[in-house]
Amino acid sequence: MTKLAYLAAPLALLCAPAAAQQLPEAARTMIDTAIASGDAKQVEAVIATARAAFPDDTQEIDAIWTAYREEQAEIAAAQAAREAAEIRQAGLLEKWSGEGQIGAFQSSGNTDEFGVTTVLALNRKGIDWEHRLRLTADYRRQDGTTSREQFQASYEPRYTINERLFTYGLARYERDRLQGYSSRYAISGGLGYKVIDTDDMEFSVKAGPAYRVTQFTDDTKSSRIAALFGADFNWDITDSLTLTQDASSTVETGGEALLIVDSANTSLAATTGLEASLTDKLSARLSWAIEYDSNPPAGAVSTDTLSRFTLVYGF
């Protein structure tokens, strides 16, 4: 070897790139296992642990984390595109989800009583539109006399303006002869806003003008301009326990401007429920409902309350 070669060798060693340090096999296995689990929170926790345990390998760990997030974003985008295509191609009767509730009781002996309550709630969520349909029936008979006979039906389409703001329409039918009316119809439309919209909690409010027609049991009839206010709240306290709150109120004015004060009537309906999962599809629900009319027909009281325990089947 020449003298020049001996002099060049140390210089070449200094200029050559250092050998890349490899992440320890145990750390790599730990990260791969977390990724294979499909739990994003677990992956993030393991990545944070690896950074703290192997500070000299932070660059390689960050590269794994970046690649994982990019892959998950691609998977989510592809899934969203498939769902959007399915929604656009779905027929009118497809893509509905919902739940059915049923509760009943019967007693005999000193009192002969029978009662049943049923609820069917359907929801169809599209790209920009959402449709909500709800049917409710409550019936109770004691010692040969009907003590409760209430039926309700409502349909509410919603159009999404942006992530928070939406418009709504509402058509509602009620029948409660014991409360003094054989039928009551209301239509409304207005704006709504999602105050809270997270994976665990949702809270939205809505308001708009309304028009209500009431057919009383004495064959009289009233038609009134109204204002509607509503609020919906859902909180997933745990994976198996959910708190729900649905409330709506309608403030009526008289059909003529001179009768606004004298014939004003305010009605409020609010339901609070606590729901616990029993299986993937079946859950138990305990609810308390209040209905209030400030100016009920003669012989009827202003406030009704009802506590219910029902089984709920989701589909």
Side-chain angles (χ1 to χ4, degrees):
M1 181 179 291
T2 64
K3 185 177 180 180
L4 183 60
Y6 276 110
L7 294 174
L11 183 62
L13 289 173
L14 291 173
C15 295
Q21 293 185 350
Q22 295 293 322
L23 187 65
E25 186 63 27
R28 165 65 74 171
T29 300
M30 181 174 64
I31 294 174
D32 289 344
T33 301
I35 293 175
S37 72
D39 187 338
K41 292 183 178 179
Q42 181 179 341
V43 175
E44 186 174 3
V46 169
I47 289 291
T49 301
R51 287 196 187 104
F54 306 101
D56 294 337
D57 300 303
T58 299
Q59 186 174 358
E60 185 176 354
I61 295 171
D62 287 345
I64 295 173
W65 175 239
T66 300
Y68 168 77
R69 291 201 301 173
E70 291 176 350
E71 181 183 13
Q72 292 302 304
E74 292 176 0
I75 293 174
Q79 178 66 22
R82 286 194 298 270
E83 291 178 355
E86 290 177 359
I87 291 172
R88 290 191 175 95
Q89 296 171 6
L92 181 62
L93 300 180
E94 298 178 319
K95 294 298 179 183
W96 286 90
S97 62
E99 63 181 32
Q101 301 180 36
I102 186 168
F105 67 88
Q106 182 176 5
S107 65
S108 60
N110 291 323
T111 60
D112 184 6
E113 188 174 9
F114 169 79
V116 62
T117 177
T118 60
V119 178
L120 176 63
L122 300 175
N123 183 281
R124 187 180 192 272
K125 193 168 186 179
I127 305 300
D128 298 316
W129 284 93
E130 182 178 358
H131 302 270
R132 299 182 176 188
L133 179 65
R134 186 178 180 88
L135 307 172
T136 304
D138 277 320
Y139 180 80
R140 185 177 301 169
R141 191 170 180 85
Q142 181 177 7
D143 295 330
T145 303
T146 300
S147 57
R148 184 172 182 84
E149 184 183 3
Q150 184 185 72
F151 305 97
Q152 296 179 353
S154 65
Y155 169 62
E156 180 182 350
R158 291 186 175 186
Y159 178 77
T160 301
I161 298 175
N162 56 42
E163 292 183 356
R164 296 281 185 176
L165 191 65
F166 62 89
T167 61
Y168 78 92
L170 178 65
R172 182 181 174 90
Y173 165 79
E174 301 171 88
R175 174 185 173 90
D176 192 339
R177 297 186 62 85
L178 297 176
Q179 192 63 20
Y181 56 88
S182 56
S183 62
R184 182 159 67 182
Y185 304 88
I187 56 173
S188 176
L191 290 174
Y193 186 77
K194 296 179 180 178
V195 181
I196 302 174
D197 188 14
T198 66
D199 292 339
D200 299 329
M201 187 178 295
E202 296 179 1
F203 175 52
S204 65
V205 294
K206 62 187 177 186
Y211 181 71
R212 185 156 69 173
V213 178
T214 304
Q215 181 72 49
F216 296 100
T217 53
D218 61 1
D219 292 331
T220 60
K221 183 177 180 181
S222 70
S223 302
R224 305 181 187 277
I225 300 296
L228 183 142
F229 305 91
D232 299 324
F233 177 70
N234 292 287
W235 176 24
D236 293 332
I237 302 173
T238 67
D239 290 339
S240 60
L241 191 64
T242 301
L243 176 69
T244 63
Q245 172 67 59
D246 300 315
S248 61
S249 63
T250 305
V251 183
E252 293 183 352
T253 67
E256 299 179 13
L258 295 176
L259 299 177
I260 291 178
V261 176
D262 291 343
S263 62
N265 182 52
T266 300
S267 63
L268 171 69
T271 303
T272 301
L274 191 62
E275 195 169 303
S277 298
L278 302 177
T279 67
D280 290 342
K281 296 289 188 180
L282 190 64
S283 59
R285 179 179 172 87
L286 178 65
S287 64
W288 184 79
I290 181 172
E291 296 180 4
Y292 170 78
D293 271 301
S294 64
N295 188 24
V301 297
S302 296
T303 304
D304 279 340
T305 62
L306 180 65
S307 299
R308 285 185 289 205
F309 177 80
T310 55
L311 291 178
V312 182
Y313 181 79
F315 53 91

mmCIF file of all heavy atoms in Angstrom, residues 1 24 76 78 81 84 89 110 124 128 154 161 163 180 208 242 246 248 269 283 285 307:
data_model
loop_
_atom_site.group_PDB
_atom_site.id
_atom_site.type_symbol
_atom_site.label_atom_id
_atom_site.label_comp_id
_atom_site.label_asym_id
_atom_site.label_seq_id
_atom_site.Cartn_x
_atom_site.Cartn_y
_atom_site.Cartn_z
ATOM 1 N N MET A 1 0.845 -1.183 0.000
ATOM 2 C CA MET A 1 0.000 0.000 0.000
ATOM 3 C C MET A 1 0.886 1.239 0.000
ATOM 4 O O MET A 1 1.870 1.324 0.731
ATOM 5 C CB MET A 1 -0.889 0.001 1.236
ATOM 6 C CG MET A 1 -1.835 1.195 1.307
ATOM 7 S SD MET A 1 -2.903 1.151 2.773
ATOM 8 C CE MET A 1 -3.945 -0.245 2.366
ATOM 9 N N PRO A 24 -34.445 -1.503 18.897
ATOM 10 C CA PRO A 24 -34.367 -2.837 19.502
ATOM 11 C C PRO A 24 -35.560 -3.700 19.085
ATOM 12 O O PRO A 24 -36.678 -3.222 18.936
ATOM 13 C CB PRO A 24 -34.374 -2.548 21.009
ATOM 14 C CG PRO A 24 -33.770 -1.185 21.115
ATOM 15 C CD PRO A 24 -34.237 -0.433 19.902
ATOM 16 N N ALA A 76 -59.361 5.343 6.160
ATOM 17 C CA ALA A 76 -60.576 6.082 6.519
ATOM 18 C C ALA A 76 -61.171 6.783 5.310
ATOM 19 O O ALA A 76 -62.394 6.804 5.131
ATOM 20 C CB ALA A 76 -60.252 7.095 7.615
ATOM 21 N N ALA A 78 -60.853 5.888 2.156
ATOM 22 C CA ALA A 78 -61.429 4.873 1.265
ATOM 23 C C ALA A 78 -62.768 4.380 1.806
ATOM 24 O O ALA A 78 -63.726 4.194 1.047
ATOM 25 C CB ALA A 78 -60.455 3.707 1.104
ATOM 26 N N ALA A 81 -65.399 7.031 1.245
ATOM 27 C CA ALA A 81 -65.800 7.073 -0.162
ATOM 28 C C ALA A 81 -66.759 5.935 -0.486
ATOM 29 O O ALA A 81 -67.747 6.122 -1.207
ATOM 30 C CB ALA A 81 -64.561 7.007 -1.054
ATOM 31 N N ALA A 84 -70.148 6.768 1.107
ATOM 32 C CA ALA A 84 -70.826 7.820 0.356
ATOM 33 C C ALA A 84 -71.442 7.258 -0.922
ATOM 34 O O ALA A 84 -72.571 7.603 -1.288
ATOM 35 C CB ALA A 84 -69.859 8.950 0.034
ATOM 36 N N GLN A 89 -76.378 5.497 -3.854
ATOM 37 C CA GLN A 89 -77.018 4.466 -4.672
ATOM 38 C C GLN A 89 -78.176 3.783 -3.940
ATOM 39 O O GLN A 89 -78.912 3.006 -4.550
ATOM 40 C CB GLN A 89 -75.976 3.418 -5.071
ATOM 41 C CG GLN A 89 -74.868 3.966 -5.963
ATOM 42 C CD GLN A 89 -73.733 2.979 -6.157
ATOM 43 O OE1 GLN A 89 -73.811 1.833 -5.717
ATOM 44 N NE2 GLN A 89 -72.663 3.429 -6.806
ATOM 45 N N ASN A 110 -107.139 -7.175 43.812
ATOM 46 C CA ASN A 110 -107.814 -5.980 44.310
ATOM 47 C C ASN A 110 -107.979 -4.937 43.206
ATOM 48 O O ASN A 110 -108.929 -4.149 43.220
ATOM 49 C CB ASN A 110 -107.026 -5.377 45.480
ATOM 50 C CG ASN A 110 -107.084 -6.251 46.716
ATOM 51 O OD1 ASN A 110 -108.121 -6.854 46.997
ATOM 52 N ND2 ASN A 110 -105.989 -6.337 47.442
ATOM 53 N N ARG A 124 -82.398 7.821 9.252
ATOM 54 C CA ARG A 124 -81.667 7.600 7.997
ATOM 55 C C ARG A 124 -80.763 8.795 7.746
ATOM 56 O O ARG A 124 -81.237 9.910 7.543
ATOM 57 C CB ARG A 124 -82.623 7.423 6.813
ATOM 58 C CG ARG A 124 -81.933 7.010 5.506
ATOM 59 C CD ARG A 124 -82.968 6.864 4.393
ATOM 60 N NE ARG A 124 -82.433 6.204 3.217
ATOM 61 C CZ ARG A 124 -81.824 6.833 2.208
ATOM 62 N NH1 ARG A 124 -81.678 8.162 2.258
ATOM 63 N NH2 ARG A 124 -81.369 6.168 1.168
ATOM 64 N N ASP A 128 -75.928 14.874 3.099
ATOM 65 C CA ASP A 128 -76.327 16.171 3.641
ATOM 66 C C ASP A 128 -77.643 16.109 4.416
ATOM 67 O O ASP A 128 -77.916 16.980 5.241
ATOM 68 C CB ASP A 128 -76.468 17.208 2.512
ATOM 69 C CG ASP A 128 -75.155 17.446 1.785
ATOM 70 O OD1 ASP A 128 -74.130 17.576 2.474
ATOM 71 O OD2 ASP A 128 -75.159 17.491 0.542
ATOM 72 N N SER A 154 -94.118 11.609 14.716
ATOM 73 C CA SER A 154 -93.399 12.789 14.249
ATOM 74 C C SER A 154 -92.407 12.404 13.155
ATOM 75 O O SER A 154 -91.859 11.291 13.159
ATOM 76 C CB SER A 154 -92.655 13.479 15.396
ATOM 77 O OG SER A 154 -91.626 12.653 15.911
ATOM 78 N N ILE A 161 -75.934 22.273 6.893
ATOM 79 C CA ILE A 161 -75.334 23.442 6.245
ATOM 80 C C ILE A 161 -73.824 23.403 6.405
ATOM 81 O O ILE A 161 -73.075 23.610 5.441
ATOM 82 C CB ILE A 161 -75.911 24.738 6.841
ATOM 83 C CG1 ILE A 161 -77.432 24.791 6.591
ATOM 84 C CG2 ILE A 161 -75.227 25.967 6.252
ATOM 85 C CD1 ILE A 161 -78.117 25.978 7.239
ATOM 86 N N GLU A 163 -70.642 21.819 9.631
ATOM 87 C CA GLU A 163 -70.445 20.839 10.693
ATOM 88 C C GLU A 163 -71.330 21.089 11.906
ATOM 89 O O GLU A 163 -71.663 20.165 12.640
ATOM 90 C CB GLU A 163 -68.971 20.829 11.121
ATOM 91 C CG GLU A 163 -68.026 20.287 10.057
ATOM 92 C CD GLU A 163 -66.597 20.229 10.541
ATOM 93 O OE1 GLU A 163 -66.335 20.685 11.676
ATOM 94 O OE2 GLU A 163 -65.731 19.737 9.797
ATOM 95 N N GLY A 180 -107.983 15.997 26.650
ATOM 96 C CA GLY A 180 -108.958 16.938 26.121
ATOM 97 C C GLY A 180 -108.924 17.173 24.631
ATOM 98 O O GLY A 180 -109.709 17.963 24.115
ATOM 99 N N GLY A 208 -87.748 27.680 15.656
ATOM 100 C CA GLY A 208 -88.372 28.158 14.431
ATOM 101 C C GLY A 208 -89.847 28.404 14.629
ATOM 102 O O GLY A 208 -90.437 28.017 15.651
ATOM 103 N N THR A 242 -75.813 5.073 28.797
ATOM 104 C CA THR A 242 -76.068 6.296 28.039
ATOM 105 C C THR A 242 -77.163 7.111 28.708
ATOM 106 O O THR A 242 -78.189 6.568 29.131
ATOM 107 C CB THR A 242 -76.502 5.958 26.595
ATOM 108 O OG1 THR A 242 -75.463 5.199 25.958
ATOM 109 C CG2 THR A 242 -76.745 7.227 25.793
ATOM 110 N N ASP A 246 -84.379 14.614 25.694
ATOM 111 C CA ASP A 246 -85.054 15.208 24.543
ATOM 112 C C ASP A 246 -86.127 16.147 25.068
ATOM 113 O O ASP A 246 -86.956 15.766 25.890
ATOM 114 C CB ASP A 246 -85.709 14.127 23.663
ATOM 115 C CG ASP A 246 -84.688 13.135 23.140
ATOM 116 O OD1 ASP A 246 -83.635 13.578 22.682
ATOM 117 O OD2 ASP A 246 -84.956 11.925 23.225
ATOM 118 N N SER A 248 -88.821 19.566 23.907
ATOM 119 C CA SER A 248 -89.343 20.496 22.907
ATOM 120 C C SER A 248 -90.476 21.277 23.537
ATOM 121 O O SER A 248 -91.227 20.765 24.368
ATOM 122 C CB SER A 248 -89.855 19.746 21.667
ATOM 123 O OG SER A 248 -90.910 18.876 21.999
ATOM 124 N N ALA A 269 -92.836 19.323 26.407
ATOM 125 C CA ALA A 269 -92.662 17.870 26.506
ATOM 126 C C ALA A 269 -91.177 17.598 26.672
ATOM 127 O O ALA A 269 -90.368 18.052 25.868
ATOM 128 C CB ALA A 269 -93.199 17.171 25.256
ATOM 129 N N SER A 283 -80.932 -3.471 25.128
ATOM 130 C CA SER A 283 -80.598 -2.649 26.288
ATOM 131 C C SER A 283 -81.856 -2.397 27.104
ATOM 132 O O SER A 283 -82.980 -2.561 26.621
ATOM 133 C CB SER A 283 -79.955 -1.322 25.865
ATOM 134 O OG SER A 283 -80.823 -0.589 25.017
ATOM 135 N N ARG A 285 -83.968 0.459 29.438
ATOM 136 C CA ARG A 285 -84.091 1.914 29.516
ATOM 137 C C ARG A 285 -85.067 2.306 30.618
ATOM 138 O O ARG A 285 -86.191 1.804 30.694
ATOM 139 C CB ARG A 285 -84.580 2.464 28.175
ATOM 140 C CG ARG A 285 -84.764 3.987 28.151
ATOM 141 C CD ARG A 285 -85.232 4.422 26.770
ATOM 142 N NE ARG A 285 -85.593 5.820 26.740
ATOM 143 C CZ ARG A 285 -84.750 6.824 26.520
ATOM 144 N NH1 ARG A 285 -83.485 6.564 26.308
ATOM 145 N NH2 ARG A 285 -85.161 8.072 26.495
ATOM 146 N N SER A 307 -93.230 7.652 34.418
ATOM 147 C CA SER A 307 -91.972 6.911 34.556
ATOM 148 C C SER A 307 -92.133 5.564 33.882
ATOM 149 O O SER A 307 -93.158 4.885 34.049
ATOM 150 C CB SER A 307 -91.614 6.711 36.040
ATOM 151 O OG SER A 307 -91.455 7.965 36.678
#
